[in-house]
Amino acid sequence: MFRAFAVGAALLATTSLHAAEFKWASTTDPQTLDPHAVNSAPVLGFLNNVYEGLVRRGKDMRVEPALATAWEPIGDGEGWRFTLREGVTFQDGSAFDAQDVLFSYQRASSEAADTRSWFAPISDVKVVDDYTVDFLTNAPNPLFPSSIANWMIMDSDWAESNEAALPDKDNGNYATLNANGTGAFQVTAREPGLRTVLEPFEGWWGDAEHNITRAEFTPIQNPATAVAALLSGDVDMINPVPIQDAERLSTSPDVTVIKGIEARVIMLGFPHEADVLKYGADQGKPNPFLDTRVRKAVAHAISVPAILRTIMRGNAEAASQLVSPAMNGYSRVLSERPPFDVAKAKELLTEAGYPEGFSFGLKCPNDRYLNDEAVCQAVVSMLAQIGLTAELDAMPVRNYWPELREDNYDMYLLGWSPGTFDAEHPIRFLATTPNPDKKLGSWNFGGFSNARVDELLPLIQSEINADTRQAMLDEVVKIIQDEQAYVTLYVQPLVWGTGKNIELTQRPDNFFILRWVTVN
């Protein structure tokens, strides 16, 4: 499911003789440098180069040691004990120890943090000594170590002395524009929306597999501009390559096109709690999406094969549930998605009392997912065939998330990549009833709620028997499909472009890791 371009041993031996600068571009600039403020791939992927967690994912996506050298379950499942790496320093020279782990837990699990849901299973965290920390869980939780692979540790003294003891995703603070991690690279310049410069951290505890002396990231939203920059050599890598340009670029003698399948499922979400519509000619009228038949009509009205053929140029695959077939816990017995059937969609609308359809607002980002606005435009056209008039409002992702969190939509586009590569992850974030006290449902914008799903989640989290656990996951998938909580569309493709002289690793989480880059 991913393609790795590994660095050869002979090359590694001579990287010091071929040190180089590296420039890359993507459509989305990280909203913040604060690792606990925004739980999104552009932020977490970028910051994985600067900050580190107790564990991390390797080139093969397996969990491996990072700031912890070992971890083991406590007793009969009371929690997990982590042994910390000694001799690690932050980029300002401060020593790393257990107090930084405790501080980072308290910060990342606070009400101010967008990462709060990651710690729903945790009842307490205890410092045993300077290099040992216990995470106590509400129930046995075999997934916990893999669930925190993107949880990053901050220096408690640095954060507190710079008045950034808590994240502030709305107004920002010192940690929004500045960083002090333990990772392989440190931020030396940050101009939001323009450029971010990183340089190797000479005090990093790990072994460098790169030969980069300086790296510069530039957000380029216009696809043609990004392609031109790659072809001219102004940048060494772009992500993504516009689908329509992938074939042409692959024939260029100076460019390599790297293709894969991301772990991310793209879907449409509904306002399950809204009483009235908020946009369109029917603004203020009762919310039709409260009726399951209307949601199912939307699912039948959208031709996913047409989207894959025309917009994705055959580079994506249809999705039937909140995770792709490559993820642990995927339901093999429920792999069919609603077929494209305009007649069925109209029949369902008529049964629900909307034979003439209705008007509503569709919110969509225009710089977050591959061809996101084009997909939304296609959805608008397809829904029009059954009498649903969608007024599309597409915007940059920096404006998009606040709109969703303020419930300013009638329908919205969302992509989800499970950080644990397990089906439990989107259930916890997208399908359980939002509950801030329990740190659940933090990305369930529409407020979908089902008592049985809520009941099954903790059982899924603690079940060790694979067959028993899969049966519970299958039950959740069936509930979500029967209620059409979301309309899943497709698994997003990965299409990166690099210069011929670049070697790197493409992972299915779409995280770009600088310490695996070699400029030849």
Side-chain angles (χ1 to χ4, degrees):
M1 297 303 296
F2 73 101
R3 189 172 299 175
F5 291 77
V7 181
L11 181 61
L12 281 173
T14 59
T15 52
S16 61
L17 301 177
H18 300 87
E21 292 194 7
F22 177 80
K23 295 182 178 181
W24 86 104
S26 187
T27 53
T28 306
D29 191 48
Q31 286 176 260
T32 178
L33 296 184
D34 189 325
H36 307 146
V38 178
N39 177 17
S40 72
V43 171
L44 299 178
F46 187 88
L47 291 180
N48 257 262
N49 294 299
V50 179
Y51 285 96
E52 295 175 301
L54 299 183
V55 301
R56 67 187 185 192
R57 293 192 181 275
K59 294 178 181 180
D60 59 0
M61 295 306 299
R62 294 181 182 178
V63 173
E64 61 184 30
L67 294 182
T69 57
W71 51 95
E72 59 184 1
I74 300 171
D76 295 323
E78 287 88 348
W80 289 86
R81 170 164 290 183
F82 288 81
T83 301
L84 306 184
R85 190 179 299 276
E86 299 186 32
V88 173
T89 61
F90 288 93
Q91 290 155 359
D92 68 350
S94 302
F96 158 75
D97 62 21
Q99 290 302 324
D100 298 308
V101 176
L102 177 61
F103 167 80
S104 296
Y105 161 73
Q106 293 169 338
R107 190 179 193 274
S109 64
S110 68
E111 290 187 11
D114 205 26
T115 53
R116 195 165 186 253
S117 289
W118 296 357
F119 303 96
I122 299 300
S123 59
D124 197 10
V125 175
K126 295 183 177 180
V127 172
V128 179
D129 58 42
D130 285 349
Y131 295 100
T132 310
V133 181
D134 287 349
F135 288 77
L136 304 180
T137 55
N138 300 312
N141 195 299
L143 289 176
F144 181 69
S146 67
S147 76
I148 58 169
N150 291 320
W151 170 45
M152 301 175 210
I153 305 302
M154 297 181 71
D155 177 15
S156 56
D157 291 338
W158 179 84
E160 290 170 345
S161 64
N162 287 298
E163 299 183 350
L166 291 174
D168 188 342
K169 61 177 176 283
D170 296 322
N171 302 310
N173 57 29
Y174 189 79
T176 304
L177 295 174
N178 300 274
N180 179 36
T182 60
F185 287 83
Q186 56 188 344
V187 176
T188 57
R190 170 66 173 164
E191 299 176 53
L194 296 176
R195 68 174 189 133
T196 305
V197 177
L198 302 120
E199 295 180 7
F201 172 38
E202 299 301 330
W204 186 49
W205 57 267
D207 296 323
E209 296 181 47
H210 66 85
N211 65 341
I212 297 173
T213 55
R214 181 182 183 275
E216 182 170 330
F217 170 77
T218 305
I220 302 178
Q221 187 173 347
N222 185 286
T225 303
V227 169
L230 179 63
L231 288 171
S232 67
D234 289 340
V235 297
D236 300 296
M237 180 252 195
I238 62 172
N239 171 26
V241 168
I243 289 291
Q244 64 271 19
D245 295 315
E247 185 174 351
R248 174 173 66 90
L249 280 177
S250 66
T251 64
S252 169
D254 301 319
V255 171
T256 298
V257 175
I258 310 168
K259 294 185 178 181
I261 297 293
E262 194 179 352
R264 187 175 310 280
V265 170
I266 305 296
M267 67 195 81
L268 295 170
F270 299 103
H272 293 277
E273 291 183 312
D275 294 324
V276 299
L277 293 171
K278 298 184 178 180
Y279 298 93
D282 290 319
Q283 179 182 2
K285 292 185 179 180
N287 175 18
F289 296 115
L290 294 177
D291 193 315
T292 305
R293 293 169 294 187
V294 173
R295 301 195 296 269
K296 286 186 175 293
V298 171
H300 284 294
I302 296 174
S303 174
V304 172
I307 291 175
L308 301 186
R309 184 177 61 253
T310 60
I311 299 176
M312 294 299 170
R313 307 290 177 98
N315 289 286
E317 57 187 43
S320 64
Q321 44 202 278
L322 301 181
V323 293
S324 75
M327 300 297 103
N328 184 54
Y330 176 82
S331 179
R332 305 290 169 185
V333 297
L334 295 166
S335 60
E336 297 297 320
R337 68 176 317 284
F340 174 56
D341 190 334
V342 171
K344 179 66 174 178
K346 290 182 177 180
E347 179 185 329
L348 286 165
L349 281 181
T350 299
E351 289 178 8
Y354 301 95
E356 304 302 322
F358 56 88
S359 176
F360 68 97
L362 169 62
K363 288 289 174 77
C364 182
N366 59 17
D367 63 352
R368 174 61 191 92
Y369 312 117
L370 193 60
N371 291 344
D372 42 14
E373 185 173 5
V375 169
C376 286
Q377 290 170 342
V379 167
V380 169
S381 298
M382 292 170 182
L383 293 181
Q385 297 181 65
I386 63 169
L388 300 187
T389 302
E391 295 188 0
L392 176 60
D393 184 10
M395 64 191 70
V397 73
R398 66 178 179 273
N399 305 123
Y400 188 63
W401 298 137
E403 287 288 281
L404 295 194
R405 295 203 178 281
E406 293 298 323
D407 296 329
N408 294 330
Y409 60 85
D410 294 321
M411 186 189 294
Y412 61 92
L413 188 78
L414 180 68
W416 194 260
S417 177
T420 58
F421 276 57
D422 187 274
E424 175 273 340
H425 193 268
I427 296 172
R428 175 165 31 117
F429 283 91
L430 306 182
T432 53
T433 304
N435 187 324
D437 292 336
K438 293 183 178 181
K439 307 183 182 82
L440 296 173
S442 59
W443 284 68
N444 182 359
F445 298 117
F448 171 74
S449 180
N450 181 279
R452 180 58 176 161
V453 172
D454 294 346
E455 179 184 1
L456 285 170
L457 177 63
L459 302 178
I460 290 168
Q461 290 174 328
S462 60
E463 183 55 58
I464 297 175
N465 182 280
D467 292 337
T468 303
R469 186 175 192 269
Q470 188 61 55
M472 291 189 287
L473 287 168
D474 290 347
E475 184 178 352
V476 171
V477 171
K478 190 172 190 311
I479 291 170
I480 292 172
Q481 290 180 343
D482 287 348
E483 296 199 21
Q484 204 69 64
Y486 295 89
V487 174
T488 53
L489 300 175
Y490 55 88
V491 185
Q492 180 164 283
L494 287 174
V495 189
W496 297 3
T498 72
K500 286 289 188 183
N501 62 326
I502 303 299
E503 297 185 40
L504 51 76
T505 295
Q506 183 187 74
R507 292 195 327 197
D509 59 359
N510 202 21
F511 282 16
F512 177 54
I513 308 299
L514 275 172
R515 58 188 169 86
W516 296 330
V517 175
T518 300
V519 182
N520 297 321

